[in-house]
Amino acid sequence: MVVVGGGFGGATAAKTLRLLDDTIRVTLIEPKARYITCPGSNWLFAGLTDLSQLSVDYRQLQQRHGIDIVNDSVAAIERERRQVVLSSGSTLAYDRLILAPGIAMRWDAIEGYDAAAAERFPHAWQAGPQTVLLAEQLKAMRPGGSLLMVVPADPYRCPPGPYERASMMAYWLKQHNPRGKIIILDHKRSFSKQALFEAGWKQYYGYGAASSLIEWHCLADNPVLRFDANAKTVVTDFGDRFSGDVVNIIPPQTASALALNSGLADASGWCPVEALTSLSRFDPAIHVIGDAAQFAPIPKSAFAANSEAKACAMAVAALLAGREPAAPTWLNTCYSLVAPEHGISVAGVYALDEQQAVAAVKGAGGVSGDLSVEALRLESKFAGSAYRRLIDNCFS
Amino acid sequence: MKVAWGLLLCLASETLVAESPSAEAIALNCLTCHAETGATHDGAIPGLTRFDQRELRQMLLDFKYGNRAATLMPRLVKGYSDDELAAVARLLAER
């Protein structure tokens, strides 16, 4: 078995395969020696964490679970030969491949916002140096300045992420730049945990008042088409112009370039799969999991990638043993911090329906119900605790 | 034959699932957040080893039927049948 991608999905798939059957030889291909997690990275904007606390490595997967770690990137998948070609030039054959390659930014979506522009105006949607740069830009913003955040339409990685980011930035502004402002330009009409975020924003950040630290504008019918870097201005379809002292554009996304180049994505840019086995609709030997795969209505989250990886590993172990794959179950839980002591969550339980498609189990899941101070404080603690457990469960 | 299909539909209607997931499949997801240790402190997600099978099963059912308050668990366990919860309690207690 070869697993490509050492994020939450790939790491969990490799580990779970070994836990289910330690006779399965598993190789995990990941170019980075250390992985910086997107979950938790918004907390950096409020000064609650730093990159070293968000970093994990692969030593435990190697030492405790006997997974072969190959520090290289995949240049191509030769599907007919069932082998991957590494950037170093060597090849690796597989019986089955689990692909967990994550996302790519769509640089064609907003004219003027490309990979080069993102070095100066970070999206910070793949945690790392860009996250630190964006935090520095926020902290250097002039008194009373504004930060523009452009948020894409669904689907994209981490649906509640932009709003937690705005919360954490507003928390910092409240203490250090109280006349500053976060202006969210959203390509959706509504967003994840909206009522809970807005109630929290009202409580802490003056949301709804003219002096609010956060403003939210829906641009679903008037999308951002162009970015003028020199003017730090975005221009919409109707010609409206929005300027900021700091600009954080989160572009629309697709599955990673490797998935696209290997012919595993459809016109949507994401990889369709048979939910029961997570097998690609385009290749009977390749399973696709995590953000790159279409598991809607399961959101693209690290927690969901972990759950998809477990279901995938169980299906693969069954297929390798010549058994029928059993019914999967998937969970998702996403915590967001509105303030350091104010956490909210959304959860979902998913199963196959009669058409063998993924469906949310009715009556289960939903957002935080108890909005007492004590419950919200407890959920903020659970946010940190669930993060550390998730890291542990995926990487050690 | 008609009776058998009726029974199947009846079983499926509770969760709209064609087939029940195994206790192992469910348990793997419990262990994402809940460690297989007993250690706990304020704000930590409780570990599982300090509970026996009967306690685990009762807790899961109490979450499901509103007899025990918690921030998250009631939302998750409502996704599973009582039999599935009993099976996962047994498996987790055995580990």
Side-chain angles (χ1 to χ4, degrees), chain A residues 20 306-307 310 314 327 329 331 335 345 349 352-353 362-368 377 379 381-382 385 389-390 393, chain B residues 15-21 24-26 28-29 31-35 42-45 71-72 75-76 78-80:
Chain A
L20 293 172
N306 167 286
S307 194
K310 287 167 176 170
M314 289 196 73
T329 179
L331 283 192
Y335 286 97
S345 62
V349 183
L352 289 182
D353 64 13
K362 289 204 176 86
V367 297
S368 311
R377 191 192 72 84
E379 287 219 277
K381 301 294 174 201
F382 286 153
S385 184
R389 279 294 312 153
L390 179 63
N393 189 253
Chain B
T15 52
L16 275 177
V17 196
E19 199 189 327
S20 192
E24 187 178 25
I26 302 169
L28 280 173
N29 284 284
L31 296 171
T32 310
C33 290
H34 295 280
D42 177 45
I45 297 168
T71 54
L72 178 66
R75 288 181 265 163
L76 298 181
K78 287 190 178 84
Y80 299 99

Side-chain angles (χ1 to χ4, degrees), chain A residues 17-330:
Chain A
L17 275 173
R18 295 283 300 164
L19 289 175
L20 293 172
D21 183 349
D22 64 8
T23 66
I24 302 174
R25 208 180 135 203
V26 180
T27 302
L28 176 64
I29 306 173
E30 164 59 45
K32 296 186 288 293
R34 293 176 76 77
Y35 176 76
I36 302 171
T37 70
C38 278
S41 67
N42 281 329
W43 305 342
L44 189 142
F45 298 107
L48 304 177
T49 190
D50 58 40
L51 283 196
S52 69
Q53 290 182 65
L54 296 170
S55 299
V56 295
D57 63 45
Y58 299 97
R59 280 176 300 190
Q60 299 266 347
L61 290 181
Q62 194 157 31
Q63 290 162 13
R64 285 187 61 195
H65 300 287
I67 296 162
D68 292 328
I69 308 288
V70 173
N71 277 123
D72 204 339
S73 57
V74 175
I77 302 171
E78 295 182 345
R79 286 167 46 190
E80 293 75 20
R81 296 182 176 182
R82 294 201 178 183
Q83 63 180 21
V84 295
V85 182
L86 302 178
S87 297
S88 61
S90 55
T91 58
L92 211 58
Y94 59 82
D95 296 313
R96 288 182 175 278
L97 181 70
I98 297 179
L99 195 59
I103 57 165
M105 300 299 158
R106 272 192 50 201
W107 299 123
D108 61 342
I110 298 173
E111 186 193 335
Y113 192 71
D114 55 15
E119 295 300 312
R120 286 171 60 209
F121 301 94
H123 54 74
W125 217 240
Q126 288 155 316
Q130 282 200 9
T131 315
V132 175
L133 176 61
L134 183 57
E136 284 167 357
Q137 291 178 350
L138 173 75
K139 290 174 183 179
M141 193 166 79
R142 69 179 170 85
S146 59
L147 179 144
L148 273 191
M149 184 190 296
V150 179
V151 180
D154 290 318
Y156 61 95
R157 165 177 284 180
C158 191
Y163 316 99
E164 184 189 55
R165 173 174 289 183
S167 305
M168 294 289 91
M169 288 176 159
Y171 179 78
W172 193 91
L173 287 180
K174 188 175 178 177
Q175 299 166 77
H176 304 284
N177 188 352
R179 289 189 301 110
K181 208 179 262 301
I182 313 291
I183 298 169
I184 304 171
L185 303 179
D186 207 329
H187 290 80
K188 298 185 296 299
R189 281 172 222 287
S190 60
F191 58 88
S192 173
K193 297 181 254 190
Q194 182 164 1
L196 296 179
F197 272 114
E198 289 182 329
W201 292 348
K202 206 169 170 185
Q203 184 179 343
Y204 299 103
Y205 310 126
Y207 188 64
S211 61
S212 175
L213 290 162
I214 298 175
E215 281 180 18
W216 181 76
H217 301 277
C218 169
L219 291 186
D221 297 318
N222 182 20
V224 171
L225 296 184
R226 196 159 63 78
F227 173 54
D228 180 343
N230 291 328
K232 296 184 183 180
T233 298
V234 297
V235 185
T236 70
D237 190 21
F238 297 164
D240 296 328
R241 301 170 69 85
F242 296 89
S243 302
D245 297 279
V246 179
V247 182
N248 174 211
I249 296 178
I250 303 164
Q253 298 143 31
T254 61
S256 79
L258 178 65
L260 300 184
N261 296 340
S262 304
L264 297 168
D266 63 17
S268 72
W270 305 100
C271 301
V273 293
E274 176 198 56
L276 173 68
T277 54
S278 63
L279 268 175
S280 166
R281 295 281 184 197
F282 302 128
D283 193 311
I286 300 180
H287 304 253
V288 191
I289 55 171
D291 292 346
Q294 286 174 9
F295 275 97
I298 304 178
K300 297 185 185 300
S301 77
F303 196 105
N306 167 286
S307 194
E308 289 161 17
K310 287 167 176 170
C312 175
M314 289 196 73
V316 167
L319 290 168
L320 289 176
R323 285 181 279 117
E324 283 284 303
T329 179
W330 297 275

Side-chain angles (χ1 to χ4, degrees), chain B residues 3 6 19-22 28 31-32 39 42 44 49 51-53 55 58 71-72 86 91-92 95:
Chain B
V3 175
E19 199 189 327
S20 192
S22 69
L28 280 173
L31 296 171
T32 310
D42 177 45
T49 52
F51 304 111
D52 66 23
Q53 178 185 336
E55 288 170 320
Q58 194 56 48
T71 54
L72 178 66
L91 183 67
L92 288 170
R95 287 176 77 101

